[in-house]
Amino acid sequence: MKQLELLIREAQSLTDNEQEVQRVMQICNACRYCEGFCAVFPAMTYRLTFGKADINYLANLCHNCGACLHACQYAPPHEFGVNVPQAMAKVRLETYQEYAWPASFGAWYKRAGVAVVLALAFGIGLFLLLVMALGGTLIHAPMAGDFYQIFPHNLLAVMFGSVFLFSIGSLLFSTRRFWREISSEGRSLPAMAETARNVLTLTYLDGGHGEGCNDEDDAFTLRRRRFHHFTFYGFMLCFASTLVATGYHFLLGLEAPYDLLSVPVILGTLGGVGLIIGPAGLLWLNLRRNPAHGDAAQKPMDRGFILLLLLVSATGIALLAGRDTSLMGALLAVHLGTVMALFLTLPYGKFAHGFYRTAALLKWAIEKRRKA
């Protein structure tokens, strides 16, 4: 009796979007036609009821590939109106808001749209340009790519390092809160290895059959998976470039600027190219995608993040091309503005989905070993 009361109380505490996921999962659990598509449906079969933690877990395990919608016999216009990708997308946004750290910043997810992120990027860039203009360094003699004549190294390291560390720390705290809610199971090395493989290869963007996801219609394509790969590995190459340059500076005593064929410049250039190809492709797919595949309210957040990645990579490559000219300072200010805007919005925008999804994938890797 007490357990029934707890279930009733929890059901009453669910949001409308969580109740919708609960409803469609109960229908899917009876049907099970899509069991081979992705991790969501096998994980679903381990449950007879769906509480808040289960719903948030499954929503973040969903990769929004759209395959189940086109395969579903109960999808709209059927009276059951089952739309798993859209229901899951709406709950995912709620989890970002609910588990955000600091908690009061969760509302920023609603404001992480195109206008906000672009205004932030251009606002910071404009501020830096004005500072340079007042200092008389906006137009200058060529400096052979020596950025630190414009902005001192230590100043940049403190400013950008502190913001980046806060952003990553915030995401880690948020993910920890999410993990403690969805799982009490211990981690294991095999499960962690499987999770890393699934994350690095984007396993569940193959549609469960290797042919890919659905975009604007019911045709399968691997485009979304490939553009995600360009984006992810482009970002990681840029991050690796920064780490190598930091090692050069502090460990080897080698200060920038670095030669075009040096490791930091090669890594940064390859990463910048990846961050143009990937986000450009994802933006193209986002504009074409069937609206039934996701939550229309999240489009501004998605597109704002994609455009910000494009701006960071485009301004970075422009800075590399013009680093030996008298416009280097202006190019540097614009690039730093976009990078700072990216760092400031990392914990409260689309970037967060990678952390929550990794946690959900880890739970799935552990769970299926326990059930085997």
Side-chain angles (χ1 to χ4, degrees):
M1 186 68 179
K2 184 177 290 186
Q3 186 175 6
L4 179 60
E5 290 177 356
L6 288 173
L7 289 173
I8 293 174
R9 192 177 299 118
E10 184 176 59
Q12 292 174 340
S13 70
L14 297 179
T15 66
D16 291 344
N17 291 327
E18 288 170 341
Q19 289 179 24
E20 175 61 10
V21 169
Q22 183 183 62
R23 182 186 75 86
V24 300
M25 285 292 96
Q26 288 169 342
I27 296 172
C28 292
N29 213 6
C31 174
R32 300 195 177 186
Y33 179 80
C34 298
E35 192 170 340
F37 280 6
C38 70
V40 169
F41 297 99
M44 170 198 71
T45 63
Y46 293 157
R47 292 158 172 80
L48 295 177
T49 60
F50 300 91
K52 183 180 180 66
D54 299 314
I55 292 167
N56 289 340
Y57 159 53
L58 294 174
N60 282 279
L61 193 58
C62 171
H63 284 57
N64 199 31
C65 77
C68 59
L69 176 64
H70 293 282
C72 183
Q73 60 185 321
Y74 302 120
H78 191 279
E79 61 181 327
F80 287 177
V82 172
N83 187 334
V84 173
Q86 190 171 84
M88 296 294 195
K90 291 180 179 180
V91 169
R92 275 197 299 278
L93 180 60
E94 289 185 348
T95 62
Y96 305 158
Q97 295 168 343
E98 181 176 353
Y99 298 106
W101 185 89
S104 58
F105 286 15
W108 278 100
Y109 282 102
K110 295 181 179 180
R111 304 186 182 98
V114 176
V116 171
V117 297
L118 295 185
L120 186 61
F122 285 114
I124 296 172
L126 180 61
F127 172 75
L128 293 175
L129 287 172
L130 289 172
V131 169
M132 291 172 57
L134 292 173
T137 57
L138 185 59
I139 304 296
H140 52 79
M143 298 178 180
D146 189 356
F147 306 143
Y148 302 138
Q149 291 190 48
I150 305 294
F151 297 108
H153 174 272
N154 291 341
L155 174 65
L156 294 179
V158 170
M159 286 177 55
F160 287 84
S162 59
V163 173
F164 181 75
L165 289 176
F166 169 79
S167 296
I168 295 301
S170 175
L171 284 169
L172 291 175
F173 274 109
S174 302
T175 308
R176 181 173 178 270
R177 293 181 63 193
F178 173 66
W179 174 258
R180 294 178 68 178
E181 176 75 20
I182 68 170
S183 180
S184 59
E185 300 172 296
R187 295 173 289 278
S188 68
L189 189 58
M192 294 173 70
E194 180 184 334
T195 301
R197 183 176 68 253
N198 288 337
V199 170
L200 295 175
T201 62
L202 294 174
T203 300
Y204 294 110
L205 285 185
D206 69 352
H209 39 62
E211 297 180 12
C213 300
N214 303 108
D215 291 325
E216 64 272 17
D217 51 36
D218 60 356
F220 294 113
T221 171
L222 288 167
R223 293 176 300 193
R224 187 161 169 254
R225 187 184 191 188
R226 288 166 180 160
F227 287 135
H228 267 90
H229 272 134
F230 273 110
T231 303
F232 176 76
Y233 287 106
F235 185 88
M236 294 307 294
L237 283 169
C238 289
F239 184 61
S241 173
T242 303
L243 290 180
V244 172
T246 302
Y248 275 18
H249 185 93
F250 289 106
L251 300 179
L252 302 179
L254 300 175
E255 297 186 358
Y258 301 114
D259 186 77
L260 291 176
L261 296 179
S262 65
V263 175
V265 174
I266 291 174
L267 290 175
T269 302
L270 292 175
V273 171
L275 280 179
I276 287 179
I277 296 173
L282 290 175
L283 180 60
W284 174 63
L285 292 179
N286 187 283
L287 293 170
R288 293 164 51 93
R289 200 155 197 224
N290 189 325
H293 287 174
D295 178 16
Q298 296 181 44
K299 292 291 185 182
M301 180 177 72
D302 295 348
R303 293 170 185 173
F305 178 64
I306 293 171
L307 286 172
L308 196 47
L309 286 177
L310 274 172
L311 278 175
V312 168
S313 54
T315 57
I317 289 178
L319 175 59
L320 178 64
R323 70 177 190 169
D324 292 327
T325 70
S326 59
L327 294 176
M328 181 195 71
L331 293 170
L332 177 62
V334 173
H335 178 60
L336 291 178
T338 61
V339 172
M340 181 60 82
L342 177 65
F343 285 1
L344 287 170
T345 56
L346 280 183
Y348 312 109
K350 187 65 175 181
F351 190 80
H353 86 286
F355 285 73
Y356 287 83
R357 185 158 292 154
T358 299
L361 285 168
L362 178 57
K363 177 176 172 61
W364 165 237
I366 296 169
E367 185 175 58
K368 68 180 181 179
R369 283 171 170 78
R370 294 284 176 89
K371 301 292 185 179

